[in-house]
Amino acid sequence: VENDPSATREIIAALYPHTGGGHVLGITGAPGSGKSTLVAALAAEYRRRGLSVGIVAVDPSSPYSGGAIMGDRIRMRELAGDEGVFIRSMASRGSLGGLARATADTVRVLDACGYRRILVETVGTGQAEIDIARTAHTTLVVHMPGAGDEIQTLKAGIIEIADIHVVNKADLAGADRATAALRALRDLADEPMDSSEALWCPPVLRAVATTGEGVPETVDAIEDHVAYWGLNDRARERERARAAAELEGVLRNELLRLAMEGISPERWRTTIEDVVARRIAPYHAAHELLRTFLNAQD
Ligand SMILES: Nc1nc2c(ncn2[C@@H]2O[C@H](COP(=O)(O)OP(=O)(O)OP(=O)(O)O)[C@@H](O)[C@H]2O)c(=O)[nH]1
Ligand SMILES: [Mg+2]
């Protein structure tokens, strides 16, 4: 799935009926906030509770065999050898879009393999977060104490995507302030007017991932969200929106691919020349190409 996108379609088609049993948890947050440490601690807690865990660590910035990924491997070493845990580290090869696709498909493979909780770590880089929020059922945002944190949080629009906030490194100074600031931000977020069903209020938890403090409580909160996800119409609506967004994306790519296949390299070149020479506007050029393509379909 990672190495051969052309084979992925068949693989995913075969696996798809077996997916849907795993709960996908996105873990995002600023670089160095302790995501990997927390993921390892969460996985260990899940193992204690008897649930199998798949882990996908995504690093959009580091090179193929970057230090961060080696670091993750070492950090997660204690989980290695446990058959109930599968760890996959992925580095970006090209576009973030490609990474999002490979991540989503890797998650599906783990889901089909029967891993009950699938933890996906991404660095908070904006688009990657949004992508992961689309793939995940539950999005956990890791924060750390420190000046300016709250403002960064606001900028990244992270309040909207978080189902659970964890202030990690609660052993360091400023954890109280960070926790209070996050709670205040969360309470500012608009609440829907109709309260006919129970609404999810993202909890703000504290943890020390290195010692495991606060980790069982974090797993409890995740499991509360798993239950919420399973029962709630709003969550099901989100699942539908996710499916629609994915379908739309695939359709867009497929249509583009088909259209490009239907256009000769010569036609493509002359059209570009026409656009550069201002003989035709891009919008009209695209429409003419599209018309040629559609006529060829009849
Ligand atoms: N004091 C303290 N240090 C922590 C805690 N959790 C993680 N760290 C340390 O913070 C550093 C970064 O932790 P990582 O788990 O690699 O953080 P990350 O968010 O995965 O980092 P990137 O993937 O590089 O963005 C490491 O040196 C950890 O040992 C904590 O609760 N308290
Ligand atoms: Mg990490």
Side-chain angles (χ1 to χ4, degrees), residues 1 8 12 15 100-110 246:
V1 161
T8 300
I12 297 301
L15 292 179
R101 184 204 57 76
T103 306
D105 289 337
T106 301
V107 164
R108 284 197 167 129
V109 172
L110 293 175
E246 181 176 13

Side-chain angles (χ1 to χ4, degrees), residues 140 227 281:
L140 191 153

Side-chain angles (χ1 to χ4, degrees), residues 18-276:
H18 305 282
T19 62
H23 191 89
V24 183
L25 187 71
I27 290 114
T28 191
S33 52
K35 298 179 293 296
S36 298
T37 314
L38 188 63
V39 164
L42 292 173
E45 176 64 20
Y46 270 121
R47 293 306 293 141
R48 278 191 281 278
R49 299 187 186 196
L51 287 174
S52 56
V53 181
I55 298 172
V56 184
V58 183
D59 185 343
S61 56
S62 80
Y64 196 89
S65 56
I69 282 178
M70 291 312 289
D72 286 350
R73 288 241 168 96
I74 292 161
R75 213 164 289 121
M76 292 175 184
R77 181 176 47 194
E78 60 192 88
L79 296 168
D82 179 345
E83 290 212 347
V85 180
F86 188 98
I87 305 171
R88 184 77 196 148
S89 285
M90 291 167 55
S92 158
R93 298 154 207 200
S95 71
L96 269 181
L99 185 69
R101 184 204 57 76
T103 306
D105 289 337
T106 301
V107 164
R108 284 197 167 129
V109 172
L110 293 175
D111 187 354
C113 287
Y115 292 97
R116 300 291 309 282
R117 298 291 176 268
I118 300 160
L119 314 183
V120 184
E121 175 190 343
T122 52
V123 179
T125 53
Q127 191 51 47
E129 275 153 16
I130 308 302
D131 287 341
I132 222 55
R134 259 192 220 126
T135 304
H137 300 109
T138 303
T139 299
L140 191 153
V141 178
V142 182
H143 308 266
M144 58 179 160
D149 243 9
E150 307 89 321
I151 297 144
Q152 272 183 2
T153 299
L154 253 186
K155 247 197 273 178
I158 241 168
I159 284 287
E160 284 90 70
I161 66 162
D163 297 306
I164 298 169
H165 297 279
V166 175
V167 176
N168 189 41
K169 307 197 184 187
D171 53 323
L172 302 183
D176 286 337
R177 219 179 116 249
T179 309
L182 269 170
R183 290 209 171 111
L185 274 177
R186 174 200 62 192
D187 295 343
L188 275 177
D190 274 348
E191 282 192 19
M193 291 305 285
D194 89 281
S195 45
S196 52
E197 55 184 309
L199 293 177
W200 178 261
C201 177
V204 180
L205 307 171
R206 298 161 58 127
V208 183
T210 40
T211 65
E213 199 186 314
V215 170
E217 292 79 2
T218 305
V219 168
D220 287 344
I222 297 166
E223 290 307 303
D224 284 347
H225 197 253
V226 172
Y228 171 83
W229 182 267
L231 293 175
N232 197 278
D233 279 347
R234 201 177 300 274
R236 223 163 279 142
E237 199 44 56
R238 197 162 119 179
E239 177 91 46
R240 245 177 243 120
R242 214 155 51 91
E246 181 176 13
L247 211 50
E248 205 179 287
V250 173
L251 203 56
R252 189 181 300 121
N253 290 344
E254 282 297 286
L255 282 173
L256 183 64
R257 192 181 57 78
L258 280 173
M260 292 303 279
E261 272 174 21
I263 299 165
S264 71
E266 179 56 24
R267 175 87 193 272
W268 184 242
R269 259 194 308 276
T270 55
T271 305
I272 290 171
E273 285 311 316
D274 288 343
V275 170
V276 170

